[in-house]
Amino acid sequence: MKVLLTNIKELLQIRDISESKISGNRLKELPTIENAWLLIEGDSISNFGNMNEQVPSLVDETIDCQGKIVLPSWCDSHTHLVYAGNREQEFVDRINGLTYQEIASKGGGILNSAKLLRDTPEEELYRQSEARLKEVISLGTGAVEIKSGYGLTMESELKMLRVAKRLAANYPATIKTTFLGAHAVPENFKDNKDAYLEQICNEMIPKIAEENLADYVDIFCEEGYFTVEDTHRLLKAAKPYGLVPKIHVNQFNAIGGVQAGVDHNALSVDHLEILTDEDIDALKGSETMPVALPACSYFLSIPYTPGRRIIDAALPLALATDYNPGSSPTGNMNFVVAAACIKMKLTPEEAINAATLNGAYAMGLSESHGSVTRGKKANLIITKNIPSYGYLPYAFGSNLIDTVFINGKPWKHE
Ligand code: NIG
Ligand code: FE
């Protein structure tokens, strides 16, 4: 099946296959073609060009994109979208003055979600998570990473990862999964964190690897959760099983998690709301992608990741939603792109690069996703009629998406 998009007002993010991530000053460049066409063959982008030259004629379907912009679908490299229920009450508690940390220290927070998840049958967990996935695809996300971490027991962690795998099998969006058993210390191990880590390293990781349920491993390296030493221990144990690290660091405190991630060749280090000069230096010369999660900063009223400092230090940067019930109950990448522009002072070009190609890199997908490149997946957003791509973050509260293509097919949200 050949589908031709014609008269595209502007086709964004044209890249050569060899570009796997964009860093520093180069993030300001967003290569585009005005008045373009794009040919989809099967599930891939087969060719594109200017309307004045070599427009293919033998096609099965033509879609006129007059007035519309076409860009690669969003690559959301950090979510916890498999979860049970919600934490609306904690949201109200925070409005009334409690902090996220105070709620967590009273047994709320991650442990609250873990209890809810353990009491939720797998089928129901699937149903709730499926609704979130459908919503984010409609909002233009074509590739998404999903973490476990609300199970905190072998049985419940496996349940979460099975649900994520089932979503991957049943939906066209590309899904990568991450084992986050070290998200919090469960109640029954509260005075014996080491024993819980031992269980993670010696029992959960081997089982998860055996069942091929995860691509990556994660840990919440933070005061009151897991230390840098714990992080080294976990990442060392995960390595023989091929689980590459993508870790939570520097959300509330800079305790050395960035360096630990870099030491273990982490694919990404995520959050970074609190960032020291040493952390920036640690990232220089590494292959690790720093990932900012501005919807979490917005929702918790905590500092925004200093994206400008990161980019101005010639580093790359990716943007993701952190979709989860406690700190970012949204999977809307359009909002994340807008928040990065409005609150982190990224330009629209920088934010779009960070939410597409760099997001793909942060989940090991930059060879197939994240740019308009011949041979890559035809995962595309066709916007409504808009004056320019800068209008996407500018009109931050509007849904400006007309059609989402995933694997060469228009996505129809029922
Ligand atoms: O990325 N910080 C750790 N984990 C999640 C939030 C977990 C929760 O509150 O449920 C995050 O923000
Ligand atoms: Fe997270």
Side-chain angles (χ1 to χ4, degrees), residues 78 80 87 90 100 109-110 113 147 150 180 183 220 225 248 251-252 271 293 296 300 322 324-328:
H78 181 140
H80 309 245
R87 303 227 298 272
E90 293 180 6
Y100 180 80
I110 296 168
S113 286
K147 300 172 192 295
Y150 292 121
L180 175 55
H183 198 190
F220 189 14
Y225 293 84
H248 282 75
Q251 183 175 8
F252 302 108
H271 273 290
L293 310 167
C296 168
L300 293 186
D322 198 14
N324 78 76
S327 70
S328 180

Side-chain angles (χ1 to χ4, degrees), residues 82-85 111-122 125 129 149-153 155-157 159-160:
V82 171
Y83 62 82
L111 296 184
N112 182 356
S113 286
K115 187 175 177 322
L116 272 168
L117 188 131
R118 264 175 245 151
D119 295 342
T120 303
E122 188 161 330
L125 183 64
S129 308
Y150 292 121
L152 311 181
T153 63
E155 193 195 333
S156 298
E157 287 291 306
K159 176 165 82 175
M160 289 185 78

Side-chain angles (χ1 to χ4, degrees), residues 196-206 233-234 237-238 241:
Y196 181 55
L197 261 178
E198 196 169 300
Q199 196 184 100
I200 290 178
C201 295
N202 299 343
E203 294 169 34
M204 295 192 200
I205 287 178
R233 179 175 167 193
L234 174 82
Y241 295 93

Side-chain angles (χ1 to χ4, degrees), residues 357-373:
L357 190 55
N358 283 0
Y361 178 92
M363 50 183 154
L365 289 175
S366 51
E367 284 185 7
S368 52
H369 293 71
S371 63
V372 171
T373 301

